[in-house]
Structures are given as C-alpha cells and as structure tokens.
Amino acid sequence: MEEPEMQLKVKKVTDKFTESMYVLANEPSVALYRLQEHVRRSLPELAQHKSDMQSWEEQSQGAIYTVEYACSAIKNMTDSSIYFKSIDSLLKHAITIKDQLNTAQG
C-alpha cells in the first residue's frame, strides 16, 4: 500500500472512532447516569436542609403565637383601664363614706 492511501484509511478509522466515542460519551443514558449520581450525592444534604427548615418553621410559629398572645394580653390590660378607674373611684367613695360614718359615731 502506498503511504497516502494508508494515511487516508487511518484518518477514516480514527475519525469514525472519534465520532463513536463522542456519541458514546454524550449518549442520553450516560447523561441520566450522571444526573442520578448527582442526585444521590446531594439528596441527603437537601433532606437535612428540609428537616432543619421545618424545625425552624415550627419554632418560629411558636414564637409568633407567644408574641401575639402577649400583645393581646397587653391590649386587654389597656382596655381594662376603664374598670380600674371605676374601681378607684368606688374605693375613694367607700373611704369617704367610712370617714363620714367614723365622724358621725365619734
């Protein structure tokens, strides 16, 4: 065989081999394998993050409930100032009547 003819055949063989390797490396099943490999490696960490987030959400909900309950209690105390004023005036009136009774008896 002549040298140029041999080089042409070798080039054809290497081109076909390169094309086959390219197709094989980029085959969808290889891509799916890589995707599965990635999911398998990252899934435990993602599951842990999800668990942490759920725990933080529960703690946050508890804190929000506590704050809302405290705000409601303070609002009720503020609203009850009318009753305290009424009690104060009744006590002053009772003290005045008691003083009048004491002076009437004495």
Side-chain angles (χ1 to χ4, degrees):
M1 269 198 195
E2 296 177 16
E3 181 72 26
E5 187 180 329
M6 181 64 133
Q7 286 181 355
L8 183 64
K9 287 183 179 184
V10 168
K11 182 166 175 29
K12 283 182 181 180
V13 168
T14 56
D15 286 346
K16 288 290 184 184
F17 182 74
T18 302
E19 183 181 339
S20 296
M21 291 304 292
Y22 182 78
V23 168
L24 183 62
N26 292 309
E27 185 182 356
S29 62
V30 173
L32 292 175
Y33 172 77
R34 296 286 185 209
L35 184 62
Q36 180 227 356
E37 192 177 57
H38 171 72
V39 168
R40 186 173 38 88
R41 267 189 273 126
S42 62
L43 190 63
E45 185 179 345
L46 289 173
Q48 182 62 42
H49 283 302
K50 179 183 177 186
S51 174
D52 292 344
M53 292 299 286
Q54 287 174 335
S55 173
W56 293 336
E57 180 185 17
E58 289 172 7
Q59 291 175 359
S60 297
Q61 289 297 328
I64 289 170
Y65 175 77
T66 302
V67 168
E68 286 176 348
Y69 184 74
C71 288
S72 171
I74 291 171
K75 184 180 181 308
N76 288 339
M77 289 174 74
T78 304
D79 292 344
S80 66
S81 66
I82 297 168
Y83 303 111
F84 286 120
K85 288 178 185 176
S86 174
I87 290 169
D88 184 47
S89 67
L90 289 171
L91 284 172
K92 286 180 182 176
H93 184 65
I95 291 170
T96 305
I97 291 175
K98 176 69 173 150
D99 286 342
Q100 289 176 355
L101 285 173
N102 285 342
T103 54
Q105 288 177 353

